[in-house]
Amino acid sequence: MPVPVAAPAAWPAPPPQVFLVFFDWDRADITPAGMDIIRQAANAYKSGSSVRLQVSGYTDLSGSRGYNQRLSERRANNVANALAGLGVTRGDMAVSGRGENDPRVPTPPGVREPQNRRVEIVFT
């Protein structure tokens, strides 16, 4: 009688690549360190490791909700424009501002937390 052979285990999908670009308080301009991260993301994109990117901007919890929403959108668009300038196809990016939502470091309102002032570039 033949011995049953177990099917090989499926390998889990690799985790998505994530690049974080941080910003100074109340700023949307890209720092030299931020540009280095954007270059790394653009190079990863060009290497064929992914075809779709989520570019999401965030703020800390200082400032009004409306202001922070607009600031997060400016940050995300600045990063998306920099990526496009480095050869990333704009149509391969979903760009959004998330404002105060999903802080990396939970804080009370009014706190200036540097880890929350960011744009996340996520390869999907």
Side-chain angles (χ1 to χ4, degrees):
M1 182 179 286
V3 176
V5 177
W11 295 101
Q17 283 186 284
V18 178
F19 297 87
L20 298 175
V21 179
F22 292 100
F23 291 83
D24 292 329
W25 182 76
D26 197 29
R27 304 294 300 194
D29 52 322
I30 298 168
T31 65
M35 197 62 207
D36 289 342
I37 299 298
I38 293 167
R39 276 191 205 92
Q40 290 174 27
N43 289 337
Y45 169 85
K46 290 187 259 185
S47 74
S49 60
S50 183
V51 296
R52 189 85 174 132
L53 298 117
Q54 293 283 107
V55 181
S56 304
Y58 298 87
T59 65
D60 60 24
L61 279 69
S62 65
S64 72
R65 276 196 171 281
Y67 179 83
N68 284 342
Q69 179 60 39
R70 291 185 301 278
L71 178 59
S72 71
E73 292 166 4
R74 286 194 309 274
R75 288 174 175 169
N77 282 311
N78 286 350
V79 169
N81 291 337
L83 285 165
L86 294 170
V88 176
T89 303
R90 190 68 189 230
D92 287 343
M93 291 184 251
V95 182
S96 65
R98 305 272 299 136
E100 299 175 0
N101 297 309
D102 304 319
R104 282 178 56 95
V105 178
T107 66
V111 173
R112 296 180 181 180
E113 173 52 55
Q115 290 287 310
N116 293 339
R117 300 189 301 260
R118 71 200 187 280
V119 167
E120 294 181 358
I121 304 166
V122 180
F123 285 56
T124 58

